[in-house]
Amino acid sequence: MLELDELLAIFNEGKTLSMDEDAASACNYYAQEAQRITCELNYKYHDFDEIRQLFDKLIGDKVSDDFRLFPPFFTDFGKNIHLGKNVFINAGCKFQDQGGIYIGDNVLIGHNVVLATLNHEENPSKRGNLIPAPIKIGNDVWIGSNATVLAGVSIGDGAIVAAGAVVTRDVAKNTVVGGIPAKYIRDIKF
């Protein structure tokens, strides 16, 4: 089985992970660990301090004292989520973080947002292989409810992603995007 640092090195270098026995064992191990922690998080009442402690355990790092999360929250990995200060994640969000999710300061993430950092190979005989690419969310970003952000996307500081958008390309700072696929709507009004 691959160790966590080996697995993260593959994911963070953007290398395709061939799903051989060692890779599958490692992915299954960390998925089950994430399930144990998120089950505890999602199916019992916890105050914000307890939620932060569980999230610390989930991501393997300490979140800031102003981090807030409204459960339920879902992830199939958890070990490649990186949070700035004053991040708020609303209920029902799903983070597929193997490729890396980097969230800046003062970010608001609405209900049921999906952040997906993995793709699969097109060739059916290799389709189980994982192709990671990070999602990078700048400071002061607001992602509306039911939006989906796909692998390899960067969202610039101050941007707004409209509810229900599917973000397939980078978003410029201080802009509003929306639609499927998400397109530029206008600049932020100051």
Side-chain angles (χ1 to χ4, degrees):
M1 181 172 98
L2 295 171
E3 295 297 321
L4 179 59
D5 58 342
E6 295 172 296
L7 196 56
L8 284 170
I10 292 167
F11 288 143
N12 291 334
E13 291 171 12
K15 294 180 180 175
T16 298
L17 180 65
S18 298
M19 289 304 285
D20 60 18
E21 189 174 324
D22 284 343
S25 293
C27 288
N28 290 338
Y29 174 84
Y30 290 106
Q32 289 178 323
E33 181 179 280
Q35 288 171 9
R36 279 191 298 275
I37 296 167
T38 56
C39 279
E40 171 68 21
L41 176 69
N42 294 337
Y43 301 111
K44 286 177 67 180
Y45 170 78
H46 299 283
D47 64 28
F48 284 124
D49 287 335
E50 293 167 329
I51 289 171
R52 282 188 283 273
Q53 290 171 4
L54 285 165
F55 214 83
D56 290 349
K57 186 187 295 187
L58 177 66
I59 69 172
D61 197 10
K62 182 145 177 51
V63 298
S64 67
D65 290 340
D66 50 15
F67 170 73
R68 291 182 305 134
L69 168 78
F70 288 173
F73 173 83
F74 303 95
T75 183
D76 54 358
F77 188 57
K79 301 302 184 202
N80 213 359
I81 298 172
H82 311 274
L83 303 175
K85 294 181 180 359
N86 196 34
V87 171
F88 172 68
I89 301 171
N90 218 325
C93 290
K94 298 169 181 74
F95 287 15
Q96 181 193 54
D97 64 292
Q98 286 88 338
I101 295 173
Y102 300 86
I103 299 173
D105 298 337
N106 307 311
V107 172
L108 302 173
I109 299 178
H111 290 90
N112 301 314
V113 167
V114 174
L115 303 179
T117 66
L118 291 178
N119 276 314
H120 295 276
E121 290 199 35
E122 190 173 312
N123 180 337
S125 68
K126 296 181 180 183
R127 197 160 291 155
N129 293 342
L130 305 178
I131 303 170
I135 292 173
K136 297 178 181 175
I137 300 170
N139 298 324
D140 305 304
V141 170
W142 173 20
I143 301 177
S145 297
N146 295 300
T148 298
V149 180
L150 298 182
V153 168
S154 292
I155 300 174
D157 292 347
I160 296 174
V161 174
V166 177
V167 185
T168 61
R169 292 183 296 204
D170 290 353
V171 176
K173 70 179 186 175
N174 297 320
T175 61
V176 179
V177 300
I180 302 173
K183 292 183 170 75
Y184 169 84
I185 296 173
R186 63 176 170 79
D187 289 343
I188 296 291
K189 297 174 184 174
F190 287 96

